[in-house]
């Protein structure tokens, strides 16, 4: 018998509906879902923590509690990003442990723990924390293709995870590119190697091979498959639950789930699907076998296109496609999943725009130092030297990255108490994980996003035409009111919105296109002046490193800029005294903008 792990409340709507499904749309069908007998039901974690506080004015902890009472017979699961928890950077152990403690207390039974680099050291603390509170720990490895990601390596790491106390294992194929052969080989080898705990295969329909991979996985002895009830399945999401149930019926892998109950769920979710029709994107529902060639996940591809457009270099797309695997090789073949997909993608863009490793964001340096964990493959001495400089050996850390972090819980708790915002202990965790967005939410300043009923949006809505054009081209008409161009007013500049990386939200700031020069932009920025030092890229000024009157040499760092969500150093190409500075911290700049005058 094979069992299913249902994804409709987590990965399915994260992959296809930008994680926007609300709790009110989930609760009414729970009594039916609860009767099906799923192995487990993923309802939490991943982007379902971030999105509710950022866009829905919903408390994720309250959602979890409601899910638990509505689904008393179904084990609830969350996706936990090891030391990143439900965010994109490392947290100290005390926050990880507290988070898991409250997640278990509020209703989460199973925890799927994974690390972007499959660094088992990063997974140890969360796995132990889950075991300590009596939860089910599912040790998960990211599936990727590279010379160092062999079947043997996966089997070896899965054996280690079993020894670490995991209750089950998962092959996490986040890009949806596992072939039937690889699915079979990994699972079969695991079983032959004597792994006793259940094995789950998590995949997406992106490449079009997933149905076949699931069948071969069954033949190899897989115990659990990840699926989603049909109205929110397929494309970049999971295979449909009903289809897998029907396909396995009468075989030795029969799930024995009640098809009538599933049909009732289908009816229900068809209505929910329609409620979020403004988020439907044709590309998210199409098969894209090109992933089997370039191995770049869909979310990362669209992000690369966006970044190139921002830098005014959309014509460099094919060069970036070719450069991405080279960078990935240089960096020791990290799986392309958040946040490593961002590191590799941005470095590839930089290499194409400015020459190989001529510009290196802080995040690439951190990655090479080992601040994300141990890279899966070797990094050559030349690359170390190029990225970290001649003293590269002193910069590399050998320890687990979180060992370098100070405990944070008490500090955050004191801060939030001082602000009088602690209504329940979980609030401290929300604040610790998302200090800005979480605080805004806890203060009651978050506004729920619109729904389909509120469309079209007024012109000054923060979701601008630029974003609609980029992400929802087929919905231009229904999304935004038509007004004459002269009536258009920018909402606020710069505009912050989230770009999806691996289906998960990433914050970026942009200046919308198609508008007149906004009044909120920095004052006068002459395009051509004598001694003008220009910005080489689009971004937000983070820190000015020089002041008026300072002497600078060629190559000196004059300021840091946040471009493509990464910290970049801009250097002076002139020598002399800083006569005038035209920008301040927080300003948004475009390539070619004059930043300061050096003479
Ligand atoms: Co997934």
């Amino acid at each position: 018998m094979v069992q299913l792990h249902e994804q409709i409340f987590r990965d399915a709507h994260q992959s296809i509906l930008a994680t926007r499904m609300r709790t009110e749309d989930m609760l009414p069908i729970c009594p039916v879902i609860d009767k099906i007998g799923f192995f487990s039901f993923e309802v939490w974690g991943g982007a379902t923590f971030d999105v509710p506080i950022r866009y829905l004015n919903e408390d994720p902890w309250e959602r979890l509690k409601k899910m638990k009472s509505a689904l008393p017979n179904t084990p609830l699961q969350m996706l936990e990003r090891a030391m990143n928890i439900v965010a994109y950077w490392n947290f100290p152990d005390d926050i990880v442990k507290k988070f898991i403690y409250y997640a278990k207390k509020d209703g989460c039974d199973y925890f799927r723990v994974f690390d972007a680099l499959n660094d088992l050291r990063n997974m140890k603390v969360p796995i132990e924390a889950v075991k300590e509170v009596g939860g089910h720990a599912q040790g998960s490895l990211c599936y990727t293709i590279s010379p160092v990601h062999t079947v043997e390596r996966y089997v070896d790491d899965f054996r280690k995870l079993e020894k670490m106390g995991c209750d089950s294992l998962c092959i996490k194929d986040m890009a949806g590119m596992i072939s039937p052969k690889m699915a079979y080989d990994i699972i079969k080898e695991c079983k032959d190697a004597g792994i006793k705990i259940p094995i789950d295969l998590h995949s997406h329909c992106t490449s079009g091979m997933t149905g076949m991979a699931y069948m071969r996985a069954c033949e190899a002895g897989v115990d659990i498959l990840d699926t989603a009830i049909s109205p929110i399945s397929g494309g970049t999401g999971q295979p449909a639950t009903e289809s897998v149930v029907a396909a396995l019926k009468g075989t030795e892998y029969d799930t024995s789930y009640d098809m009538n109950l599933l049909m009732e769920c289908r009816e229900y979710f068809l209505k929910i699907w329609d409620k979020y029709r403004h988020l439907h994107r044709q590309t998210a529902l199409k098969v894209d076998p090109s992933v089997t060639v370039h191995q770049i996940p869909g979310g990362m591809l669209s992000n690369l296109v966006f970044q190139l457009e921002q830098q005014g270099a959309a014509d460099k797309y094919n060069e970036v496609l070719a450069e991405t695997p080279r960078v990935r090789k240089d960096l020791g073949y990290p799986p392309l999943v958040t946040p490593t997909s961002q590191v590799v993608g941005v470095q590839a863009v930089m290499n194409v725009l400015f020459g190989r490793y001529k510009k290196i964001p802080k995040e690439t340096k951190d990655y090479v130092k080992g601040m994300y964990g141990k890279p899966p493959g070797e990094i050559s001495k030349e690359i170390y030297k190029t990225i970290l400089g001649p003293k590269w050996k002193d910069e590399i850390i050998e320890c687990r990255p979180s060992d370098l972090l100070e405990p944070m819980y008490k500090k955050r708790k004191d801060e939030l108490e001082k602000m009088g915002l602690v209504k329940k202990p979980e609030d401290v965790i929300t604040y610790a994980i998302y200090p800005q967005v979480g605080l805004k939410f806890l203060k009651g300043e978050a506004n729920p996003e619109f729904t389909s009923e509120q469309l079209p949006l007024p012109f000054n809505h923060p979701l601008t035409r630029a974003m609609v054009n980029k992400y929802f081209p087929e919905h231009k008409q229904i999304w935004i009111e038509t007004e004459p161009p002269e009536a258009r007013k920018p909402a606020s500049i710069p505009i912050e919105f989230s770009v999806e990386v691996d289906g998960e939200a990433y914050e970026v700031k942009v200046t919308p296109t198609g508008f007149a020069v906004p009044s909120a932009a920095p004052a006068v920025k002459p395009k051509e002046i004598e001694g003008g030092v220009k910005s080489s890229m689009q971004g937000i000024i983070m820190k000015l490193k020089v002041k008026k009157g300072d002497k600078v040499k060629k190559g000196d760092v004059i300021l840091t800029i946040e471009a493509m969500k990464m910290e970049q150093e801009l250097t002076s190409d002139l020598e002399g005294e800083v006569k005038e500075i035209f920008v301040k911290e927080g300003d948004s700049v475009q390539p070619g903008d004059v930043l300061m005058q050096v003479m």
Side-chain angles (χ1 to χ4, degrees):
M1 189 182 81
V2 166
Q3 288 185 287
L4 302 185
H5 170 63
E6 176 60 40
Q7 279 286 2
I8 197 155
F9 288 171
R10 212 283 298 166
D11 205 352
H13 76 116
Q14 182 173 323
S15 297
I16 302 179
L17 292 178
T19 333
R20 295 302 203 273
M21 208 198 292
R22 289 157 165 80
T23 308
E24 66 190 48
D25 300 320
M26 300 175 171
L27 291 174
I29 195 67
C30 284
V32 183
I33 297 180
D34 202 35
K35 283 188 236 163
I36 293 170
F38 286 122
F39 174 79
S40 50
F41 187 10
E42 195 153 302
V43 299
W44 219 57
T48 69
F49 193 95
D50 179 353
V51 172
I53 56 171
R54 200 182 290 268
Y55 299 112
L56 307 178
N57 193 25
E58 265 196 36
D59 190 330
W61 301 98
E62 295 302 329
R63 176 184 289 180
L64 180 56
K65 287 180 207 167
K66 286 175 187 163
M67 285 292 141
K68 189 64 198 169
S69 46
L71 294 153
N73 303 307
T74 307
L76 301 186
Q77 177 165 304
M78 76 161 292
L79 180 68
E80 203 274 342
R81 295 182 182 123
M83 308 314 290
N84 302 341
I85 314 179
V86 285
Y88 313 99
W89 44 92
N90 286 336
F91 289 95
D93 294 345
D94 63 337
I95 299 289
V96 175
K97 288 177 188 167
K98 287 277 184 201
F99 178 93
I100 286 168
Y101 171 81
Y102 285 111
K104 176 73 173 67
K105 184 168 171 281
D106 289 348
C108 187
D109 308 289
Y110 293 15
F111 295 75
R112 177 174 289 171
V113 178
F114 83 99
D115 176 67
L117 294 176
N118 293 338
D119 186 337
L120 303 189
R121 299 172 310 165
N122 287 343
M123 296 167 70
K124 190 167 176 281
V125 168
I127 288 170
E128 283 172 2
V130 170
K131 296 310 297 171
E132 203 163 295
V133 295
H136 173 118
Q138 185 174 77
S140 185
L141 295 175
C142 296
Y143 176 75
T144 189
I145 301 169
S146 90
V148 298
H149 289 90
T150 57
V151 172
E152 293 69 39
R153 182 172 181 151
Y154 279 110
V155 174
D156 204 42
D157 282 345
F158 277 133
R159 284 166 77 165
K160 286 179 190 155
L161 284 167
E162 186 179 38
K163 283 209 187 83
M164 281 161 71
C166 286
D167 301 281
S168 64
L169 301 170
C170 174
I171 304 168
K172 181 178 157 62
D173 174 27
M174 61 278 164
M177 59 185 180
I178 198 164
S179 68
K181 178 175 162 46
M182 282 305 284
Y184 182 89
D185 287 355
I186 294 174
I187 293 160
K188 185 76 171 48
E189 293 282 324
C190 282
K191 297 286 177 183
D192 288 351
I195 289 176
K196 295 277 184 304
I197 54 177
I199 301 175
D200 187 332
L201 176 57
H202 169 88
S203 188
H204 293 247
C205 294
T206 323
S207 71
M209 297 189 290
T210 314
M212 288 181 272
Y214 274 20
M215 195 63 226
R216 284 297 277 160
C218 288
E219 288 161 7
V222 81
D223 301 277
I224 310 140
L225 294 169
D226 276 27
T227 59
I229 294 165
S230 58
I232 311 181
S233 74
T236 54
Q238 275 69 45
T241 305
E242 303 95 296
S243 311
V244 174
V245 169
L248 300 181
K249 202 169 171 55
T251 70
E252 58 186 294
Y253 320 114
D254 200 330
T255 61
S256 72
Y257 296 162
D258 184 339
M259 207 54 160
N260 293 321
L261 291 175
L262 285 168
M263 285 300 128
E264 211 178 309
C265 295
R266 175 176 158 80
E267 285 299 313
Y268 176 82
F269 284 111
L270 279 172
K271 289 191 212 105
I272 299 301
W273 174 248
D274 192 51
K275 178 174 174 182
Y276 293 95
R277 61 188 177 279
H278 62 289
L279 293 167
H280 298 178
R281 281 169 295 167
Q282 288 183 9
T283 46
L285 296 171
K286 280 186 176 155
V287 164
D288 180 8
S290 71
V291 70
T292 60
V293 179
H294 54 59
Q295 297 167 17
I296 302 171
M300 183 177 167
L301 267 188
S302 52
N303 206 29
L304 284 178
V305 172
F306 175 77
Q307 284 163 350
L308 281 171
E309 282 175 358
Q310 283 300 300
Q311 303 301 329
D315 57 317
K316 300 279 201 305
Y317 179 68
N318 282 328
E319 281 172 66
V320 172
L321 268 197
E323 177 64 11
T324 302
R326 284 202 286 267
V327 172
R328 184 169 173 246
K329 179 170 185 263
D330 290 345
L331 300 185
Y333 299 108
L336 296 178
V337 61
T338 315
T340 45
S341 53
Q342 184 73 356
V343 174
V344 172
V346 171
Q347 190 62 60
V349 171
M350 293 282 147
N351 286 0
V352 168
L353 293 184
F354 304 106
R356 299 205 85 217
Y357 302 107
K358 289 284 182 269
K359 281 206 190 299
I360 302 164
K362 180 176 175 288
E363 284 77 1
T364 306
K365 290 181 186 167
D366 283 349
Y367 169 86
V368 171
K369 283 178 195 170
M371 301 300 281
Y372 290 77
K374 196 171 161 33
E378 292 293 311
I379 298 179
S380 71
K381 273 186 192 139
E382 289 67 38
I383 290 292
Y384 272 126
K385 223 182 267 176
T386 308
I387 291 176
L388 298 178
K391 290 192 175 159
W392 60 274
K393 275 188 185 151
D394 304 336
E395 302 244 5
I396 296 170
I397 64 159
E398 294 296 341
C399 65
R400 186 181 66 114
S402 293
D403 286 338
L404 302 171
L405 301 174
E406 292 291 323
M408 190 203 264
Y409 179 74
K410 198 181 169 310
K411 185 169 171 279
R412 290 290 186 239
K413 186 165 176 273
D414 291 348
E415 285 167 7
L416 202 64
E417 273 171 355
K418 215 174 267 175
M419 289 184 265
L421 291 173
V422 185
K423 294 203 189 73
K424 58 180 183 306
E426 291 90 331
D427 294 342
V428 177
I429 310 294
T430 303
Y431 171 59
I433 294 177
Y434 284 105
Q436 284 97 32
V437 180
L439 190 61
K440 198 175 160 195
F441 170 76
L442 294 169
K443 281 182 177 167
E445 290 169 4
N447 289 315
E449 203 183 55
F450 58 87
T451 61
S452 292
E453 287 81 51
Q454 290 160 268
L455 294 173
L457 299 177
F459 241 114
N460 58 2
H461 195 280
L463 196 77
T464 64
R465 181 166 292 270
M467 183 184 177
V468 175
N469 283 349
K470 174 66 204 131
Y471 288 99
F472 310 97
E474 58 263 57
H475 297 309
K476 246 182 252 181
Q477 265 63 42
I478 62 159
W479 270 57
I480 297 200
E481 276 175 19
T482 317
E483 273 185 53
E486 61 272 21
R488 293 177 196 170
K489 291 261 163 30
S492 64
I493 307 292
I495 282 167
E496 214 173 320
F497 68 79
S498 100
V499 168
E500 281 176 56
V501 182
D502 188 28
E504 289 171 13
Y506 233 94
E507 280 299 303
V508 296
K509 288 175 180 166
V510 301
T511 309
T513 53
F515 292 116
V517 175
S519 56
V524 194
K525 275 192 288 174
K527 281 279 174 198
E528 293 301 334
I529 63 162
E530 198 189 343
V533 178
K534 291 177 186 172
S535 175
S536 51
M537 60 185 97
Q538 186 273 346
I540 311 282
I541 308 286
M542 290 176 76
K543 197 141 196 67
L544 288 164
K545 299 276 187 183
V546 293
K547 53 186 188 310
K548 226 167 132 173
D550 282 0
K551 295 263 192 294
V552 294
K553 289 196 294 291
K554 263 186 203 176
D556 282 356
V557 176
I558 51 170
L559 53 82
T560 58
I561 185 171
E562 186 199 287
M564 309 180 205
K565 193 62 195 171
M566 305 227 162
E567 192 179 325
Q568 318 275 350
E569 291 177 337
L570 288 191
T571 52
S572 176
D573 45 6
L574 297 169
E575 193 161 333
E577 189 187 312
V578 179
K579 296 282 185 204
E580 197 64 64
I581 299 178
F582 301 111
V583 291
K584 57 184 189 311
E585 284 162 18
D587 278 355
S588 162
V589 293
Q590 298 296 322
D593 280 357
V594 177
L595 305 166
M596 51 187 76
Q597 189 182 32
V598 174
M599 297 176 74

